Amino acid sequence: MTYNKYTHFLMYEEGEEYDTTYRAGTRAPFSGIYYCEACGGSIVSIGSQPLPSQEHHPHTPAQGSIRWRLAVKSHYA
Ligand SMILES: [Zn+2]
């Protein structure tokens, strides 16, 4: 989950990067906020740097592995 107070700082944008699931440890395609599809936890990542690894946070067996999705893209790294 991500949080904000003023939505005028967020701009709607189409893009397949928002619909793509990234495995733990792969390079973040953009700087911004990513959330884990399995548990909803969110992180900040810098573009071209690795997304957090599978050991970043625990999951139940039912949740499975960490799967990152881009929630909010930033202008600059
Ligand atoms: Zn998770």
Side-chain angles (χ1 to χ4, degrees):
M1 191 66 65
T2 62
Y3 306 93
N4 73 85
K5 183 173 182 180
Y6 300 107
T7 57
H8 59 271
F9 291 116
L10 299 172
M11 184 175 293
Y12 180 80
E13 179 184 53
E14 289 285 340
E16 68 180 38
E17 62 269 31
Y18 297 101
D19 300 314
T20 303
T21 301
Y22 302 97
R23 294 192 329 190
T26 59
R27 293 184 184 280
F30 298 96
S31 295
I33 300 172
Y34 291 76
Y35 68 96
C36 177
E37 199 173 54
C39 70
S42 61
I43 52 102
V44 173
S45 196
I46 304 296
S48 81
Q49 297 297 309
L51 290 161
S53 71
Q54 189 58 48
E55 293 75 35
H56 179 261
H57 60 273
H59 277 173
T60 65
Q63 289 173 317
S65 60
I66 291 176
R67 303 180 297 276
W68 297 115
R69 292 273 302 266
L70 179 62
V72 179
K73 189 193 297 179
S74 66
H75 253 161
Y76 305 109

